Amino acid sequence: MRTSQFPLNTVKETPADAEIASHKLMIRAGLIRKIAAGIYTWLPLGLRVLRKVEHITREEMNKAGALEVLMPALQPAELWQETGRWEKYGPELARMQDRHAREFCLGPTHEEIITDLARNELKSYKQLPITYYQIQTKFRDEIRPRFGVMRSREFVMKDAYSFHLDQESLQKTYNVMYQTYTNIFNRFGLKFRAVIADSGAIGGAVSHEFHVLADSGEDAIAFSDASNYAANVEKAEALAPQGERPEAAETLTLVDTPNQHSIEEVSRFFNVGAEQCLKTLIVRGDDNRLVALLLRGDHELNPIKAEKIPGVLSPLQFAGDEEIIATCGCKPGSLGPIELKIPIVADRATALMADFICGANRDGKHYSGVNWARDLPLPATADLRMVVEGDPSPDRQGRITIARGIEVGHIFQLGDKYSAAMNAAIINEAGKNQIMLMGCYGIGISRVVAAAIEQGHDERGIIWPNELAPFQVAICPMNMHKSDRLLETVEKIYRELLDAGIEVLLDDRKVRAGFMFSDMELIGIPHRIVIGDRGLDSGMVEYQGRTEHESREIPFSEIVDFLKSKLA
Amino acid sequence: MRTSQFPLNTVKETPADAEIASHKLMIRAGLIRKIAAGIYTWLPLGLRVLRKVEHITREEMNKAGALEVLMPALQPAELWQETGRWEKYGPELARMQDRHAREFCLGPTHEEIITDLARNELKSYKQLPITYYQIQTKFRDEIRPRFGVMRSREFVMKDAYSFHLDQESLQKTYNVMYQTYTNIFNRFGLKFRAVIADSGAIGGAVSHEFHVLADSGEDAIAFSDASNYAANVEKAEALAPQGERPEAAETLTLVDTPNQHSIEEVSRFFNVGAEQCLKTLIVRGDDNRLVALLLRGDHELNPIKAEKIPGVLSPLQFAGDEEIIATCGCKPGSLGPIELKIPIVADRATALMADFICGANRDGKHYSGVNWARDLPLPATADLRMVVEGDPSPDRQGRITIARGIEVGHIFQLGDKYSAAMNAAIINEAGKNQIMLMGCYGIGISRVVAAAIEQGHDERGIIWPNELAPFQVAICPMNMHKSDRLLETVEKIYRELLDAGIEVLLDDRKVRAGFMFSDMELIGIPHRIVIGDRGLDSGMVEYQGRTEHESREIPFSEIVDFLKSKLA
């Protein structure tokens, strides 16, 4: 393609409402244009990327044996009433009435439609398992659409649904989908993690989220540096610490600590590390009681873990200062477990602490040299803390790394939630009616485009992986229009690259080379070759990769093979 | 693909609400399933056909240099208010409010969105001409959705919009689109006609409809057997008759014709052809007057032509019996032009009539042997009639054939209708602001699928053209599961066909051959090969085309080349 036939829509201005890099760059590079809040047109350049995401997804879904269908966006209320979601789903469900005042929604998801299809089309266990999927436009009436296509009101999703006779079959397809998603994200050329999102009653994972890693991601993910273990950081288990508690070496001492409240202040006061201080947090429990939670000073409380502790209120509520003073006899900055008259739960890591420092439950006083057993009994312990980098991985393989991620895929074992509500049954081998089990599997197709940019960009623009780039190679000729000889060579190389199946964008605009370069960098073309009069004499083109700092010279005769190897 | 991996959803029952063949067959063959009135899910088999229609359309649009975009379904009311269509568009526009009570519609078309895009992206005449297109889901809140996907509420359209500096450029792109549409419909393998739908002030066609020919079509089309002239039958001109009026041979005679009213009765009574009788129709004119319209007895009035006659009311209104009696002195069955005291307009074909028969304006009496000039003056003449088969083509090339058609495409010169309303201007060569001109070009992608079936089906099912068939070849093995030798041969041929790039459906179900045949005929696979034990001995497969009555034997070694030639 030539820029004369495929005009770029790059702009200098960053839109005022763009908060994140991908949103800014998608506007600046001319991938999308806003029509209304959370509603966009995909311009030719952006659509090329979107179609690549679709294409890879479709190919891998087909390989996995899933059957492509196309369900409607308009969904009748009646089906949603069968599952109770017409009432339960909040204002994010875009609803409308037709001219006869019949109620519809614009589907944000298609469980009801596919379950209705399955109960009509599937009669016998012999037809199972079966997986349907579609790549289709979905709607969600976000209260505050933002981040461009990352959180928009109209977007393209790949959603898939599988139907099964039993859990074993569901688990098998779930595993196939896990592998299919892994293949898809690998083919996208993106760094990603499959994050355990939920565990079933029998212990197996019933839900994984696929996150594209990017510093701007909404979710922190803890993953192993040695296995494919990955979990939302809130869900990652902190394993019980290994090893023995050191022997007590210091004596218990009550110390005046005027105005020393936070762990930072106390550890500086005593000239020890935060890990030598005990943090005491007071939360509400059942029966109007308070509960004390103990953590090592360098650890953070994980509220999701804490609210699962028996006796602790869920969702977690911290006690107010007045309640704490009334119950414990001091302000929060001087709390500690010694002689504390409320239930205490200690994080497992605190059990190995010795000669530690904690509040004395008297304002302006702390104890130092505290030791479990000798000075107070070790309370009940539990996993209460957020994991940190370097923790052992919960699967006992390697150590935890923490990175931020953007959720772009989700696979889920639905069980019989929808099929039971809608009576989607087949005749089983025994000739009896049996409700089917279901799985569902989504990929946010438009979201992948934005997530890829969040992962790959610099101050000059987008950095696409080869597989998603709208064009793989840019040809920037220098003053082509002034030299017939150059024009001929440029056209020849352009033709050779096209013939080699490479997607090339030939910049045939009559503009300065610097202008071409900044456009090609902004739109993120991974490989660029420059051809000028000088190269014509030496028989060389200048090649530079999007992330490389220096260009290098490649002979005309080798450029096709060179680029093919770069794209392989 | 194998039927074990790609299950068919054929059913025996014809849905009660299906009125036309394509609707019935799309349900029976398992291409679509109804979700609500006018809302359908495309099943895997139907989606394969839909995607082929999309694919061919996309390839040809790209070849024509059009740029693919993807605009949103949700369109803000504000843009529609700019063109006045928010108020003018009737209840077919599906409207909704978001959670903040802002008004939106679900786009039935995208003129407002694309014009908004163009006024923002296009600044200079150097960027023109440009054509954008999309293949996207549209919505129309039909009062009575029917005919399956032919008249549904949610459907896939290809819509394109071009922008121009002047009429010459618009006409040029219009011509390119005319040719592109011709290429597209040719590639679909469908019989079609490009029908002149409207003419511009300067005489050129500003609108063509593309009709797929089918007996069940809503529109009658008159087209030449020798050129590409085609027009809606109401719009086709009946040329002035050639030749001289014969000399009068009979004398004017008043004849008693009791109870002879219709042309059929009168011509039978006089034992002449209907073309020897004159038909007199009375319509309302301006100023409360009546006007008489004369036609040859074998011709039909074309109301659209009649209401364009000066002095005739538009829309056309026929006079009632009482008015006729009061004004003309007889009932309608005895009307004639002799001594009639109201304005008379005669169809041009009547001018060549001689010795004809007409009513005498007295009940129960007709004249025979009537001749213009001798017995009454020839009235003013005009083109008043519907064209009939065999008429000379209005372009004077060949003769008219009439067939029914289904409108599936439309190309249109919009001029500045939308661009002026929305102030979509560019800077022209003189440095001044200039409103752009626009063209728009639509294809009903889902409608093409139904229209193809209306054109191609028989009592056994669908007859797809090679290009749109979900699979091109069906392999039906006889008792494959009972013979390893047969299984091996079938797999070998299946593999060879796939390797040759042929889309094959191998029916590996354990069902009777007759069951396979009727399924493959119902779903319309154009080519079928049967392999059985007998053929294994003789080295022959049985081939039968979908429209052929007899099968024939083809040697194993030749089957790939044979099928390739069938598909070429």
Side-chain angles (χ1 to χ4, degrees):
Chain A
M1 206 62 90
R2 299 156 193 271
T3 49
S4 57
Q5 302 158 337
F6 193 91
L8 300 178
N9 300 77
T10 53
V11 289
K12 287 220 166 55
E13 305 76 30
T14 296
D17 66 341
E19 302 169 57
I20 58 171
S22 61
H23 188 184
K24 290 175 192 166
L25 287 169
M26 287 183 79
I27 301 288
R28 285 189 49 215
L31 306 187
I32 56 169
R33 286 296 179 261
K34 182 174 160 182
I35 300 295
I39 301 176
Y40 294 88
T41 287
W42 288 80
L43 295 179
L45 197 71
L47 188 61
R48 282 181 74 97
V49 181
L50 190 74
R51 293 275 188 248
K52 290 193 174 192
V53 175
E54 280 185 26
H55 178 73
I56 290 171
T57 304
R58 179 174 287 121
E59 278 198 349
E60 294 298 323
M61 290 302 292
N62 288 346
K63 261 188 221 164
L67 297 166
E68 189 174 3
V69 296
L70 181 61
M71 292 181 269
L74 276 175
Q75 304 187 7
E78 289 76 10
L79 290 177
W80 285 66
Q81 281 155 353
E82 284 192 54
T83 62
R85 288 211 290 182
W86 188 254
E87 287 73 33
K88 268 182 241 155
Y89 221 102
E92 288 191 355
L93 189 65
R95 297 162 205 249
M96 63 174 297
Q97 293 193 335
D98 73 3
R99 65 197 289 161
H100 306 297
R102 285 192 211 100
E103 292 200 282
F104 288 85
C105 67
L106 292 174
T109 179
H110 279 73
E111 281 83 4
E112 281 80 1
I113 302 288
I114 199 74
T115 307
D116 180 59
L117 183 78
R119 71 180 166 184
N120 292 325
E121 298 301 316
L122 306 176
K123 310 289 183 196
S124 154
Y125 70 96
K126 291 180 190 164
Q127 295 171 276
L128 301 184
I130 193 164
T131 304
Y132 296 107
Y133 80 99
Q134 64 174 350
I135 295 177
Q136 189 255 8
T137 299
K138 301 228 176 318
F139 301 85
R140 193 186 293 142
D141 198 356
E142 294 280 354
I143 188 162
R144 194 184 156 208
R146 58 202 291 215
F147 305 148
V149 298
M150 194 82 93
R151 187 172 295 263
S152 58
R153 297 203 278 181
E154 179 172 342
F155 48 94
V156 181
M157 285 272 299
K158 187 284 294 176
D159 48 330
Y161 307 89
S162 64
F163 293 87
H164 308 273
L165 189 64
D166 53 35
Q167 175 62 31
E168 189 187 338
S169 165
L170 171 54
Q171 186 64 49
K172 209 168 150 188
T173 294
Y174 185 87
N175 295 346
V176 168
M177 282 298 137
Y178 182 97
Q179 188 54 50
T180 297
Y181 273 44
T182 302
N183 299 346
I184 288 171
F185 285 93
N186 277 327
R187 279 189 63 188
F188 289 161
L190 297 176
K191 289 191 284 287
F192 72 97
R193 285 293 181 281
V195 173
I196 298 167
D198 205 355
S199 298
I202 51 166
V206 295
S207 177
H208 279 88
E209 293 170 359
F210 284 74
H211 285 254
V212 167
L213 301 185
D215 293 341
S216 60
E218 289 182 287
D219 300 294
I221 300 162
F223 55 91
S224 167
D225 59 7
S227 72
N228 64 7
Y229 172 85
N232 196 302
V233 80
E234 280 93 19
K235 299 250 172 101
E237 185 187 1
L239 292 183
Q242 299 294 306
E244 299 270 306
R245 182 165 63 227
E247 292 290 317
E250 300 177 12
T251 50
L252 182 70
T253 311
L254 186 64
V255 183
D256 278 330
T257 53
N259 300 317
Q260 310 300 315
H261 307 296
S262 68
I263 291 292
E264 200 187 345
E265 288 163 347
V266 172
S267 64
R268 200 183 313 115
F269 182 89
F270 284 97
N271 198 24
V272 295
E275 73 283 357
Q276 275 302 108
C277 302
L278 190 75
K279 191 188 290 185
T280 305
L281 300 168
I282 310 292
V283 299
R284 297 222 173 84
D286 303 333
D287 309 326
N288 284 322
R289 294 194 302 177
L290 297 183
V291 178
L293 304 177
L294 308 183
L295 290 146
R296 227 168 65 180
D298 58 332
H299 286 155
E300 292 297 323
L301 181 73
N302 181 327
I304 290 170
K305 291 175 180 176
E307 68 195 18
K308 286 188 181 153
I309 302 288
V312 172
L313 265 190
S314 173
L316 197 70
Q317 295 179 14
F318 287 95
D321 283 8
E322 288 182 22
E323 284 171 286
I324 291 173
I325 293 165
T327 308
C328 309
C330 69
K331 289 188 198 155
S334 300
L335 288 166
I338 295 177
E339 292 178 15
L340 192 61
K341 298 286 183 291
I342 56 173
I344 302 176
V345 182
D347 180 64
R348 294 192 291 208
T350 63
L352 291 203
M353 292 173 80
D355 298 329
F356 60 86
I357 290 152
C358 66
N361 297 326
R362 278 177 274 172
D363 286 330
K365 306 235 180 245
H366 278 78
Y367 285 114
S368 69
V370 188
N371 282 279
W372 299 120
R374 186 192 71 182
D375 306 323
L376 78 169
L378 180 67
T381 61
D383 177 16
L384 287 182
R385 69 177 175 95
M386 303 290 279
V387 290
V388 293
E389 289 242 355
D391 274 345
S393 175
D395 68 351
R396 295 181 168 74
Q397 297 180 56
R399 305 214 150 257
I400 277 182
T401 302
I402 292 178
R404 302 201 73 81
I406 299 164
E407 188 196 333
V408 287
H410 196 173
I411 61 176
F412 202 86
Q413 298 187 26
L414 292 171
D416 67 357
K417 181 174 172 186
Y418 296 93
S419 46
M422 297 182 69
N423 196 26
I426 41 83
I427 305 292
N428 65 17
E429 245 178 310
K432 299 262 190 270
N433 259 330
Q434 184 177 327
I435 297 292
M436 291 181 276
L437 297 182
M438 288 173 65
C440 75
Y441 318 93
I443 291 179
I445 298 289
S446 13
R447 204 162 214 250
V448 166
V449 179
I453 297 173
E454 289 297 331
Q455 184 171 100
H457 68 272
D458 61 17
E459 67 293 346
R460 289 173 294 153
I462 301 168
I463 303 171
W464 293 114
N466 286 331
E467 299 77 4
L468 298 186
F471 296 94
Q472 298 168 322
V473 174
I475 302 180
C476 299
M478 318 260 284
N479 302 316
M480 178 170 74
H481 302 279
K482 293 182 188 153
S483 156
D484 282 349
R485 197 168 138 241
L486 182 58
L487 185 68
E488 214 170 88
T489 305
V490 166
E491 290 289 340
K492 184 166 175 285
I493 291 177
Y494 175 60
R495 184 56 52 194
E496 283 175 1
L497 291 176
L498 285 182
D499 290 347
I502 295 173
E503 294 176 88
V504 197
L505 183 62
L506 167 59
D507 200 343
D508 59 356
R509 296 176 293 178
K510 292 178 186 170
V511 294
R512 286 180 301 105
F515 192 90
M516 289 183 189
F517 295 172
S518 63
D519 262 4
M520 295 304 153
E521 285 171 349
L522 175 57
I523 69 174
I525 310 300
H527 309 280
R528 183 183 76 199
I529 58 178
V530 179
I531 312 175
D533 268 331
R534 200 161 51 90
L536 220 51
D537 298 330
S538 60
M540 294 290 211
V541 302
E542 253 182 55
Y543 165 84
Q544 191 169 342
R546 175 65 181 81
T547 55
E548 293 171 13
H549 296 292
E550 299 283 334
S551 68
R552 56 184 134 160
E553 301 209 315
I554 311 285
F556 286 169
S557 58
E558 292 171 21
I559 190 66
V560 172
D561 285 339
F562 174 80
L563 286 170
K564 271 168 128 175
S565 75
K566 282 279 172 190
L567 294 167
Chain B
M1 205 61 92
R2 300 156 192 272
T3 49
S4 57
Q5 301 156 339
F6 193 91
L8 301 178
N9 298 79
T10 53
V11 290
K12 287 221 165 57
E13 305 76 28
T14 297
D17 66 343
E19 301 170 57
I20 58 171
S22 60
H23 188 183
K24 288 176 193 166
L25 286 170
M26 288 183 79
I27 301 290
R28 283 188 51 213
L31 305 189
I32 55 169
R33 287 293 180 262
K34 182 175 162 182
I35 300 295
I39 301 176
Y40 294 88
T41 286
W42 288 81
L43 295 179
L45 196 70
L47 188 61
R48 283 181 74 96
V49 181
L50 190 74
R51 292 277 187 245
K52 292 193 173 192
V53 175
E54 281 184 25
H55 177 72
I56 290 171
T57 305
R58 179 174 286 120
E59 277 197 349
E60 295 297 323
M61 290 301 292
N62 288 347
K63 260 188 223 165
L67 296 166
E68 189 175 3
V69 296
L70 181 61
M71 292 181 268
L74 275 175
Q75 305 186 7
E78 290 75 12
L79 290 177
W80 285 65
Q81 281 155 354
E82 284 192 53
T83 62
R85 289 210 291 181
W86 187 255
E87 287 71 33
K88 269 183 240 154
Y89 221 102
E92 286 190 357
L93 188 64
R95 296 162 205 250
M96 62 174 300
Q97 295 193 332
D98 73 2
R99 63 197 291 163
H100 306 296
R102 286 193 212 99
E103 291 198 283
F104 289 85
C105 69
L106 292 174
T109 178
H110 279 73
E111 281 83 3
E112 281 80 1
I113 302 288
I114 199 76
T115 307
D116 181 59
L117 184 78
R119 69 179 167 186
N120 292 325
E121 299 301 317
L122 306 176
K123 310 288 183 197
S124 156
Y125 71 94
K126 291 181 189 163
Q127 294 171 277
L128 301 184
I130 194 165
T131 304
Y132 296 108
Y133 79 99
Q134 64 174 349
I135 296 177
Q136 189 254 8
T137 298
K138 302 231 175 313
F139 300 85
R140 193 185 292 143
D141 198 356
E142 294 279 354
I143 187 161
R144 193 186 157 206
R146 56 200 291 218
F147 305 148
V149 298
M150 193 83 91
R151 189 171 293 263
S152 58
R153 298 202 279 180
E154 179 172 342
F155 49 95
V156 181
M157 284 274 296
K158 188 283 295 176
D159 48 330
Y161 307 89
S162 64
F163 294 87
H164 308 273
L165 189 65
D166 54 32
Q167 175 63 32
E168 189 189 339
S169 165
L170 171 55
Q171 185 65 48
K172 208 168 151 190
T173 295
Y174 185 86
N175 295 346
V176 168
M177 281 299 137
Y178 182 99
Q179 188 54 51
T180 298
Y181 273 45
T182 302
N183 299 346
I184 289 171
F185 285 95
N186 276 328
R187 279 189 63 188
F188 288 161
L190 297 177
K191 289 191 283 287
F192 72 97
R193 285 292 180 282
V195 173
I196 298 167
D198 206 353
S199 297
I202 51 167
V206 296
S207 177
H208 278 90
E209 294 170 357
F210 284 75
H211 285 254
V212 166
L213 302 185
D215 293 340
S216 60
E218 289 182 287
D219 299 294
I221 300 162
F223 54 91
S224 166
D225 60 7
S227 73
N228 64 8
Y229 173 85
N232 195 302
V233 81
E234 280 93 19
K235 299 249 173 101
E237 184 187 1
L239 292 183
Q242 300 293 306
E244 299 271 304
R245 182 165 63 226
E247 291 290 314
E250 300 178 11
T251 50
L252 181 71
T253 311
L254 185 66
V255 182
D256 279 332
T257 52
N259 300 317
Q260 310 299 316
H261 308 296
S262 67
I263 291 292
E264 198 188 345
E265 287 163 347
V266 171
S267 65
R268 201 184 312 116
F269 181 87
F270 283 96
N271 198 26
V272 296
E275 73 283 357
Q276 276 302 108
C277 302
L278 190 76
K279 192 189 289 186
T280 306
L281 301 168
I282 311 292
V283 299
R284 297 221 173 86
D286 302 335
D287 310 325
N288 284 321
R289 294 195 304 177
L290 297 184
V291 177
L293 305 177
L294 308 184
L295 291 147
R296 226 169 67 181
D298 58 332
H299 287 156
E300 293 295 325
L301 180 73
N302 181 327
I304 289 171
K305 292 176 178 176
E307 67 195 18
K308 286 188 181 154
I309 303 289
V312 172
L313 266 191
S314 173
L316 197 69
Q317 294 179 16
F318 287 95
D321 283 9
E322 287 181 23
E323 284 172 286
I324 291 172
I325 292 164
T327 307
C328 309
C330 69
K331 289 187 199 156
S334 300
L335 288 166
I338 296 176
E339 293 177 13
L340 193 60
K341 299 286 183 293
I342 55 174
I344 302 176
V345 183
D347 179 65
R348 295 192 290 209
T350 63
L352 292 204
M353 292 173 79
D355 298 329
F356 59 86
I357 290 152
C358 66
N361 297 326
R362 278 176 274 171
D363 286 330
K365 301 223 181 264
H366 279 78
Y367 284 114
S368 69
V370 187
N371 283 278
W372 300 119
R374 186 192 72 183
D375 306 324
L376 77 168
L378 179 66
T381 60
D383 177 16
L384 288 181
R385 69 176 176 95
M386 303 289 279
V387 290
V388 293
E389 290 241 355
D391 275 344
S393 176
D395 67 351
R396 293 180 170 76
Q397 298 181 55
R399 305 212 150 258
I400 277 181
T401 303
I402 293 177
R404 301 199 74 81
I406 300 163
E407 188 195 332
V408 287
H410 197 174
I411 61 176
F412 201 86
Q413 298 187 26
L414 292 170
D416 66 358
K417 181 175 173 187
Y418 296 94
S419 45
M422 296 181 71
N423 195 27
I426 41 84
I427 306 291
N428 66 19
E429 246 178 310
K432 300 260 189 267
N433 258 330
Q434 184 177 326
I435 296 293
M436 292 181 276
L437 297 181
M438 289 174 63
C440 76
Y441 318 93
I443 291 179
I445 299 289
S446 14
R447 203 163 214 248
V448 166
V449 179
I453 297 173
E454 289 297 331
Q455 184 173 99
H457 68 272
D458 61 15
E459 68 292 347
R460 288 172 295 153
I462 300 168
I463 304 171
W464 293 114
N466 286 331
E467 298 77 4
L468 299 185
F471 296 94
Q472 299 168 320
V473 174
I475 303 179
C476 299
M478 318 262 283
N479 302 315
M480 178 170 72
H481 302 279
K482 292 182 188 152
S483 156
D484 283 349
R485 199 168 136 240
L486 181 58
L487 184 67
E488 213 170 90
T489 305
V490 166
E491 291 289 341
K492 185 165 172 287
I493 291 177
Y494 174 60
R495 184 56 52 193
E496 283 175 2
L497 292 176
L498 285 183
D499 290 347
I502 296 172
E503 294 176 86
V504 197
L505 184 61
L506 168 59
D507 200 343
D508 60 354
R509 296 176 294 178
K510 291 178 187 169
V511 295
R512 284 179 302 104
F515 191 89
M516 289 182 190
F517 294 173
S518 63
D519 261 5
M520 294 304 152
E521 284 171 349
L522 175 57
I523 69 174
I525 308 302
H527 308 281
R528 183 183 76 200
I529 58 177
V530 179
I531 313 175
D533 267 331
R534 202 160 51 90
L536 219 52
D537 297 329
S538 59
M540 295 291 214
V541 301
E542 253 181 56
Y543 165 83
Q544 190 168 344
R546 174 66 180 80
T547 55
E548 292 171 13
H549 296 293
E550 299 282 332
S551 67
R552 55 185 136 159
E553 300 209 316
I554 312 286
F556 285 169
S557 58
E558 292 171 22
I559 190 66
V560 173
D561 286 338
F562 174 79
L563 286 170
K564 272 167 126 175
S565 74
K566 283 280 173 190
L567 293 167

